[in-house]
């Protein structure tokens, strides 16, 4: 783990003595590794880890073959406890981070610099990335704070108005189809400069 400053074996935490403890630069335990041979950590110990925000990583050894593959077991533990993401108030599931990509690109019409915002998809929209017409109020405010020009535009193709990434100099805007094919995909491939932001959380299980 990147935060690891030192590693202690059978480190005494008073309540328990984990097999391996990972300490940060301030000598505080932020994660522990428990090698499970016969018994998993007791409920009281797990509760202690949770209350102190210590990540519990469990590695189960059930045979000599597991010992021979210990390096792989460490890379792919049998259990990792504690998620610091908040739970959804509706369903109780842990929420996922919401990410927004802002692409810097010239306007397709006048060539002036413009910023284009896209929110990364989740399970509820089958992984499809979202254009401004499906942004939350918070996402709209964040995009605008980063210099993205969002305006209600009329689409002749869809025969309706919707919020879209718009050029700050001319009336042109980016429709949702071109948003992904002409901006997000090239940015993902490194053809256009872009910045990714973590702007909060969303639930993959409950509708807003």
């Amino acid at each position: 783990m990147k935060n690891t400053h030192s590693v202690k074996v059978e480190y005494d935490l008073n309540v328990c003595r984990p097999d391996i403890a990972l300490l940060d630069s301030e000598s505080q335990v932020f994660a522990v590794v428990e090698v499970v041979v016969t018994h998993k950590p007791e409920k009281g110990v797990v509760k202690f880890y949770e209350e102190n925000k210590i990540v519990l990583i469990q590695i189960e050894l059930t045979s000599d073959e597991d010992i021979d593959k210990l390096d792989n077991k460490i890379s792919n533990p049998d259990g990792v406890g504690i998620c610091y993401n908040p739970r959804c108030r509706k369903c109780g599931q842990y929420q996922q981070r919401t990410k927004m990509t802002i692409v810097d690109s010239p306007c397709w019409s006048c060539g002036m610099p413009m910023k284009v915002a896209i929110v990364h998809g989740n399970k509820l929209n089958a992984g499809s990335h979202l254009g401004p017409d499906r942004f939350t109020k918070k996402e709209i405010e964040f995009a605008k704070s980063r210099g993205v020009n969002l305006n209600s535009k009329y689409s002749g193709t869809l025969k309706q108005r919707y919020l879209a990434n718009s050029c700050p100099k001319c009336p042109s805007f980016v429709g949702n189809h071109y948003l992904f094919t002409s901006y997000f995909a090239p940015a993902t491939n490194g053809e256009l400069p872009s910045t990714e932001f973590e702007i909060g959380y969303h639930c993959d299980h409950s509708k807003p």
Side-chain angles (χ1 to χ4, degrees):
M1 293 184 175
K2 293 182 179 180
N3 295 333
T4 303
H5 185 75
S6 61
V7 178
K8 303 291 184 180
V9 178
E10 295 189 355
Y11 189 75
D12 188 2
L13 291 172
N14 294 322
V15 174
C16 57
R17 191 186 291 268
D19 295 314
I20 299 172
L22 307 181
L23 285 68
D24 60 22
S25 58
E26 297 180 353
S27 297
Q28 297 297 313
V29 177
F30 69 90
V32 297
V33 178
E34 294 281 11
V35 179
V36 180
V37 179
T38 55
H39 302 290
K40 292 185 177 182
E42 298 179 356
K43 290 183 179 180
V45 173
V46 174
K47 184 178 180 181
F48 170 78
Y49 291 145
E50 291 177 347
E51 290 177 345
N52 290 275
K53 295 185 177 180
I54 297 174
V55 177
L56 169 60
I57 302 170
Q58 296 186 59
I59 299 173
E60 297 180 10
L61 301 181
T62 59
S63 66
D64 292 340
E65 186 176 305
D66 284 341
I67 297 176
D68 294 335
K69 297 179 179 178
L70 189 57
D71 288 343
N72 182 60
K73 295 284 287 185
I74 293 173
S75 300
N76 300 279
D78 297 286
V80 178
I82 299 184
C83 177
Y84 296 119
N85 291 4
R87 289 182 181 273
C88 174
R89 293 182 179 180
K90 293 182 179 180
C91 69
Q93 298 285 340
Y94 284 110
Q95 298 184 70
Q96 304 301 314
R97 290 187 180 276
T98 298
K99 297 180 180 180
M100 175 183 289
T101 293
I102 296 180
V103 183
D104 292 285
S105 175
C107 170
W108 61 269
S109 179
C110 71
M112 293 298 294
M114 68 178 291
K115 294 181 179 291
V116 174
I118 307 117
V119 166
H120 295 217
N122 55 52
K123 291 180 181 178
L124 290 179
N125 53 64
S128 298
H129 290 68
L130 308 180
D133 58 318
R134 297 182 64 185
F135 283 7
T136 64
K137 181 179 179 181
K138 180 180 178 180
E139 291 162 359
I140 292 172
E141 291 175 350
F142 181 86
K144 288 183 175 181
S145 74
R146 294 290 172 169
V148 180
N149 189 41
L150 300 178
N151 287 302
S152 177
K153 296 290 185 176
Y154 180 78
S155 170
T157 303
L158 299 178
K159 307 299 182 185
Q160 66 180 36
R161 298 186 70 86
Y162 63 87
L163 193 67
N165 291 283
S166 306
C167 177
K169 298 296 182 180
C170 77
S172 300
F173 67 98
V174 180
N176 281 342
H177 174 71
Y178 295 102
L179 174 63
F180 307 116
T181 59
S182 300
Y183 293 86
F184 185 70
T188 301
N189 295 329
E191 298 170 18
L192 290 174
S194 65
T195 306
E196 183 178 286
F197 300 92
E198 292 184 350
I199 58 174
Y201 297 89
H202 67 270
C203 181
D204 277 344
H205 307 278
S206 300
K207 292 184 178 180

